[in-house]
Amino acid sequence: ATDDKEVLKSGPVNWREDSIAMFDNSKANARALLEGVRDKLKADRRVDNIAFVSKPSAAMPAPAAPIDKVVKSHRIALLALAD
């Protein structure tokens, strides 16, 4: 059991339907890279449930709050670590 109010389904990931968080590290071109991936995914899946998340500074670790939100709200996370 869990105390979290949001509980995601368990089992295999459905790449065509499950929500995706695209997390960028705030370095140059990370967002552009993720937008390109999202645009390519349009051919094979819905994209209205893809969310972009970024950390406030490329020089600092991501705060816990956005990471926790991704974990609670999405089945898939794609990370862009662009330079």
Side-chain angles (χ1 to χ4, degrees):
T2 180
D3 294 329
D4 293 332
K5 293 181 180 175
E6 299 176 60
V7 178
L8 296 175
K9 66 182 180 179
S10 62
V13 170
N14 181 337
W15 283 94
R16 292 187 186 273
E17 295 292 328
D18 286 342
S19 62
I20 297 175
M22 294 198 166
F23 200 106
D24 84 60
N25 65 350
S26 297
K27 289 190 176 179
N29 298 316
R31 176 70 181 235
L33 173 66
L34 289 172
E35 288 173 349
V37 170
R38 182 208 49 210
D39 292 345
K40 293 285 187 188
L41 289 172
K42 285 180 185 178
D44 296 311
R45 63 158 286 133
R46 59 187 279 209
V47 294
D48 63 323
N49 63 348
I50 294 177
F52 289 94
V53 180
S54 62
K55 60 185 197 145
S57 168
M60 301 295 294
I67 294 172
D68 290 343
K69 182 177 180 181
V70 167
V71 169
K72 291 177 182 177
S73 303
H74 303 282
R75 296 277 330 260
I76 305 163
L78 300 178
L79 310 175
L81 306 173
D83 277 334

